[in-house]
């Protein structure tokens, strides 16, 4: 069995003025010939193939084996980071932290830290030290500045959202006319699940540069306002009593703060009443509003209170009557003129 020689190219030492000295291709790249090996030497051939030098980094030869190990390390650290994130968020942090948003932030940051550590370890294994990475990232930053401005902006915005926590996982928000619950905060974008169970990917910069309504930030209670009109012929005291009973009989309305009933304005055909109630969970406000509206209709029917609707009276006069009046007025005018 003969083994073909592998020639290494001498590389210049690392220089901060040139990135070409970091990575150099091997001018004598050669793959072992399978015909030089017998069937029993299969594993030896595979080993020799993995030892073939592809290129050099800072005078360190990079072989198939190192490159495969580098990729395996990156994938392994990625899976490890995701696993640790799930364990922290679901098992460990719930014992010490009650805030679900804070738990998500801590677990997400631990995932990012493990990924960064894995990247540095993988590059060190490949033969690139911190200085080499600094030079490479310095050249990449030029491309990032010109072509990846949006990606960079969303990345920085994602860090701001995670640390400042204007929004958290589970919050009910409204951004760019989209209302839904925060499902996941990633490094570039945030997933918002709408009320119709549709997941919308929103760039993180939208949560930093635009006005965002967070309905459940720090407090999930919500004041619900229900407008209803009643006829001018209604008994005002009876209307107030009916609306108060609707709020008191509802199980989804908080007793404290207490509800309130206002007569806001006098409309064209009705008194414009407003029922103000507090609900414990802002995410259920549409459900509570539907139940209260139905309760108001039933209660008004019980108290014989009319809910008016716009009405217009149209008076139609026949052409004969108009002709007779015109003739009458005409004769009166002629008599007056004769006198």
């Amino acid at each position: 069995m003969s083994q073909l020689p592998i020639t290494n190219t001498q590389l210049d030492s690392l220089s901060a003025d040139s990135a070409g000295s970091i990575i150099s291709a091997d001018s004598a790249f050669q793959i072992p010939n399978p015909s030089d090996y017998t069937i029993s030497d299969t594993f030896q051939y595979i080993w020799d193939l993995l030892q073939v030098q592809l290129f050099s980094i800072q005078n360190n030869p990079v072989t198939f084996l190192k490159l495969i190990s580098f990729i395996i390390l990156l994938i392994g650290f990625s899976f490890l980071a995701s696993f640790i994130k799930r364990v922290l968020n679901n098992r460990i942090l719930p014992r010490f932290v009650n805030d679900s948003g804070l738990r998500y932030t801590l677990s997400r940051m631990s995932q990012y830290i493990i990924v960064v550590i894995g990247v540095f370890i993988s590059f060190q294994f490949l033969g690139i030290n911190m200085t080499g990475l600094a030079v490479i990232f310095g050249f990449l930053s030029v491309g990032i500045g010109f072509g990846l401005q949006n990606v960079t902006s969303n990345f920085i915005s994602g860090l701001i959202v995670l640390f400042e926590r204007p929004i958290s996982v589970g919050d009910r928000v409204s951004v760019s006319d989209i209302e839904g619950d925060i499902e996941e905060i990633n490094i570039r974008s945030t997933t918002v699940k709408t009320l119709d169970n549709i997941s919308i990917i929103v760039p993180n910069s939208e949560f930093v540069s635009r006005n965002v309504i967070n309905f459940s930030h720090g407090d999930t209670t919500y004041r619900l306002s229900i407008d209803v009109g009643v006829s001018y012929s209604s008994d005002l005291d009876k209307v107030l009593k009916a609306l108060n009973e609707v709020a008191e009989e509802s199980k989804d309305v908080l007793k404290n703060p207490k509800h309130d009933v206002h007569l806001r304005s006098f409309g064209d055909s009705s008194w414009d009443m407003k029922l103000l109630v507090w609900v414990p969970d802002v995410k259920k406000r549409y459900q509570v509003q539907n139940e209260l509206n139905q309760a108001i209709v039933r209660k008004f029917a019980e108290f014989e209170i009319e809910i008016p609707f716009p009405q217009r009276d149209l008076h139609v006069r026949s052409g004969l009557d108009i002709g007779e009046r015109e003739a009458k007025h005409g004769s009166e005018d002629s008599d007056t003129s004769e006198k």
Side-chain angles (χ1 to χ4, degrees), residues 151-216:
V151 175
T152 306
S153 174
N154 290 325
F155 172 76
I156 300 300
S157 299
L159 295 179
I160 294 175
V161 168
L162 285 175
F163 282 105
E164 188 178 339
R165 297 178 61 218
I167 59 173
S168 300
V169 173
D171 285 354
R172 172 66 58 84
V173 300
S174 177
V175 56
S176 300
D177 297 328
I178 300 172
E179 182 178 347
D181 299 329
I182 300 295
E183 192 174 42
E184 188 176 10
I185 302 175
N186 296 315
I187 195 68
R188 188 196 65 84
S189 61
T190 296
T191 303
V192 179
K193 179 166 286 188
T194 66
L195 305 182
D196 299 323
N197 200 32
I198 299 175
S199 295
I200 298 180
I201 310 301
V202 182
N204 287 329
S205 57
E206 295 288 326
F207 295 96
V208 177
S209 60
R210 293 181 178 270
N211 294 329
V212 180
I213 300 176
N214 191 340
F215 293 99
S216 53

Side-chain angles (χ1 to χ4, degrees), residues 173-290:
V173 300
S174 177
V175 56
S176 300
D177 297 328
I178 300 172
E179 182 178 347
D181 299 329
I182 300 295
E183 192 174 42
E184 188 176 10
I185 302 175
N186 296 315
I187 195 68
R188 188 196 65 84
S189 61
T190 296
T191 303
V192 179
K193 179 166 286 188
T194 66
L195 305 182
D196 299 323
N197 200 32
I198 299 175
S199 295
I200 298 180
I201 310 301
V202 182
N204 287 329
S205 57
E206 295 288 326
F207 295 96
V208 177
S209 60
R210 293 181 178 270
N211 294 329
V212 180
I213 300 176
N214 191 340
F215 293 99
S216 53
H217 183 64
D219 189 2
T220 59
T221 58
Y222 178 80
R223 191 177 77 163
L224 181 62
S225 175
I226 298 179
D227 298 311
V228 61
V230 298
S231 173
Y232 276 101
S233 60
S234 303
D235 185 345
L236 180 59
D237 294 330
K238 188 182 291 186
V239 172
L240 297 175
K241 180 180 179 182
L243 292 176
N244 280 313
E245 287 186 4
V246 168
E248 292 170 356
E249 292 173 1
S250 176
K251 298 179 180 179
D252 297 316
V253 174
L254 292 175
K255 305 305 178 184
N256 188 23
K258 187 176 177 57
H259 66 274
D260 203 357
V261 180
H262 293 171
L263 196 164
R264 286 299 179 91
S265 62
F266 298 94
D268 294 335
S269 57
S270 66
W271 292 332
D272 296 331
M273 310 296 296
K274 185 181 290 289
L275 174 62
L276 301 172
V277 298
W278 289 89
V279 295
D281 190 356
V282 65
K283 296 180 182 180
K284 297 181 179 179
R285 72 182 189 276
Y286 295 118
Q287 175 184 346
V288 176
Q289 182 177 6
N290 173 57

Side-chain angles (χ1 to χ4, degrees), residues 1-20:
M1 178 184 66
S2 63
Q3 183 175 355
L4 298 179
I6 299 175
T7 305
N8 296 331
T9 303
Q10 297 295 329
L11 301 177
D12 296 331
S13 59
L14 178 64
S15 174
D17 298 330
S18 175

